[in-house]
Amino acid sequence: MRPARLTVLSAAAVVVALTAVTGCADKGDDSGSGAIKVNATDSGCEVSKTEFPAGKVSIEVENKGSKVTELYVLFPDDRIVAERENIGPGTKATITAEIKAGDYAFACKPGMKGDGIRTKVKATGQGSGEKRSPELDAAVASYRKYVVEQAEASLPTTKTFVDAVKAGDVEAAKKAYAPSRLGWERTEPVAESFGDIDPKVDVREDGLEAGQTWTGWHRLEKALWADNKIGDDEKKLADTLMTDVTEWHKKIGTAEITPTSMANGAKELLDEVATGKVTGEEERYSHTDLIDFKGNVEGAEKAYELLKPTAQKNDAELVKQLDTQFAALNTLLDKYRADKNGYEFTSYDKVGDAERKELSDGVNSLAEPLSKLAAAVAK
């Protein structure tokens, strides 16, 4: 789980593109660029426009606070329209979203926690309603099929894990733990877009909100590796996990996915690796981070491969870079495989600082050109 999420929507926002840049945001209004400007601080979220025409909307965010922040564009029921995570102090990010008419909220999240500091906004009119190419429609259809297949494949693997927990078999549960998470890791941005499912199944202990009960994979991970025991509470939590994963499976087919959200989701999967897997924070008890890492990379590469024909036409040099960097990162990960084609990897607590830096550098080398994929697809 990342501190926040491919923005997949339920029928209202059509295209989302996120591009992060570093530096300090210029002061002033949005009269020059036509963008909505958001000044985020540790205690505020100042929005330059609260009403704007529906269609293509550019949002320029500057973090003037001392904490890392996030910006979300939300439906009234908190579904995500667009987002940008990990905006460091003194940096800015640009979000470009195709938004239909309706009511929304901008939410800044200093410290990347809580419901955020919110401002209500309204998109008016009808918007552009541009049609996609048949090639991109085919890419979307194939990707939707992929995420549904991943959710379907997660049901039996999660059941194997849950059954082992309920049987009190610690070793069998440990063996089944990481495989049960692969489908989620490959499609995490899609999965996380459905409101409360992600906090139920994938939250870490330090990511809990006030009053939130800790459930999901990582709660059971701690019981298995840190406590090395399974009690009645864990058995009940296993049933809850199965219920929540089943709910994710039911919802995943209803998501509306766009070419640009696919591209941004691929980049977000790399961000997930950088902020959770490379650091060892995600699987802090089981140390199965490299399996999650591989799942994230596979999900990003799947989206890229489906969008590649369009990207090749619009930016052949970018495609060349992405092919090179995906191959390099996969080769680097293969160094830690215990078997050639399976998903047994070196325990991450056995990976030294120098090797972790090498992995981090590989992720960063891919993330930079991957951040340009959405723009190439949208040309």
Side-chain angles (χ1 to χ4, degrees):
M1 178 186 179
R2 64 178 128 242
R5 276 69 27 221
L6 162 107
T7 304
V8 177
L9 316 175
S10 299
V14 185
V15 178
V16 175
L18 306 177
T19 305
V21 294
T22 59
C24 295
D26 294 329
K27 293 182 179 180
D29 63 22
D30 53 290
S31 57
S33 64
I36 301 168
K37 296 204 173 188
V38 178
N39 288 327
T41 66
D42 294 345
S43 59
C45 189
E46 180 184 338
V47 180
S48 65
K49 290 181 181 179
T50 56
E51 192 166 305
F52 49 83
K56 188 176 182 180
V57 178
S58 181
I59 306 164
E60 296 178 359
V61 189
E62 181 182 6
N63 184 0
K64 295 183 176 180
S66 63
K67 301 176 182 178
V68 176
T69 195
E70 302 168 330
L71 179 76
Y72 289 82
V73 182
L74 300 170
F75 290 105
D77 62 0
D78 280 3
R79 286 174 297 129
I80 301 169
V81 178
E83 64 177 304
R84 183 62 197 173
E85 308 155 7
N86 299 311
I87 307 170
T91 67
K92 62 182 180 180
T94 298
I95 305 173
T96 303
E98 189 79 19
I99 304 177
K100 286 189 174 182
D103 294 322
Y104 302 90
F106 286 6
C108 300
K109 289 191 178 183
M112 302 193 297
K113 287 191 175 184
D115 292 333
I117 303 164
R118 300 192 178 200
T119 300
K120 292 182 179 180
V121 299
K122 180 186 287 291
T124 61
Q126 298 301 313
S128 60
E130 293 180 6
K131 293 183 178 180
R132 287 197 301 265
S133 70
E135 186 175 59
L136 288 177
D137 280 339
V140 168
S142 294
Y143 188 69
R144 181 179 289 112
K145 180 181 177 183
Y146 172 74
V147 298
V148 169
E149 287 173 347
Q150 292 304 309
E152 288 176 346
S154 295
L155 293 178
T157 56
T158 302
K159 187 176 187 303
T160 298
F161 173 61
V162 164
D163 287 348
V165 172
K166 291 174 67 177
D169 191 332
V170 172
E171 292 308 313
K174 286 181 176 180
K175 184 176 180 180
Y177 171 75
S180 75
R181 291 175 49 76
L182 262 173
W184 178 274
E185 293 295 338
R186 289 172 179 142
T187 62
E188 193 162 2
V190 185
E192 290 175 334
S193 71
F194 291 104
D196 61 353
I197 294 179
D198 175 64
K200 289 179 181 178
V201 304
D202 200 32
V203 70
R204 301 191 298 261
E205 188 171 15
D206 55 345
L208 293 171
E209 302 290 350
Q212 180 182 351
T213 300
W214 192 17
T215 60
W217 275 298
H218 295 302
R219 168 66 177 81
L220 294 169
E221 177 203 6
K222 183 178 182 182
L224 292 170
W225 275 273
D227 305 330
N228 201 40
K229 64 180 182 180
I230 298 170
D232 289 341
D233 287 345
E234 286 73 31
K235 292 177 182 179
K236 291 177 182 177
L237 287 170
D239 276 331
T240 300
L241 175 64
M242 193 71 234
T243 297
D244 292 335
V245 170
T246 301
E247 182 66 16
W248 160 50
H249 169 256
K250 289 179 181 177
K251 288 185 174 183
I252 202 75
T254 68
E256 182 175 344
I257 301 171
T258 71
T260 317
S261 67
M262 289 168 58
N264 288 317
K267 171 60 167 61
E268 288 175 26
L269 283 169
L270 266 290
D271 291 343
E272 174 73 10
V273 173
T275 58
K277 277 68 174 183
V278 169
T279 62
E281 294 176 35
E282 180 81 357
E283 306 290 357
R284 61 192 64 176
Y285 305 110
S286 65
H287 306 299
T288 56
D289 303 86
L290 288 172
I291 301 174
D292 289 1
F293 190 146
K294 182 63 175 176
N296 286 155
V297 173
E298 286 178 339
E301 191 165 17
K302 179 66 175 182
Y304 164 61
E305 288 295 338
L306 291 171
L307 296 170
K308 184 175 175 179
T310 298
Q312 178 69 43
K313 293 177 183 177
N314 295 337
D315 194 338
E317 181 56 33
L318 177 64
V319 167
K320 182 178 178 180
Q321 293 177 44
L322 287 169
D323 284 346
T324 299
Q325 295 303 331
F326 266 116
L329 186 55
N330 280 316
T331 297
L332 186 57
L333 275 171
D334 283 345
K335 290 172 53 177
Y336 300 94
R337 280 188 188 270
D339 55 351
K340 185 175 180 181
N341 297 311
Y343 288 89
E344 291 185 22
F345 283 80
T346 302
S347 180
Y348 204 57
D349 57 335
K350 307 299 184 187
V351 178
D353 290 343
E355 289 76 17
R356 292 189 184 199
K357 184 180 185 305
E358 184 181 32
L359 287 165
S360 179
D361 290 345
V363 170
N364 291 335
S365 294
L366 173 58
E368 192 280 326
L370 197 57
S371 69
K372 301 175 183 177
L373 179 60
V377 169
K379 284 182 179 178

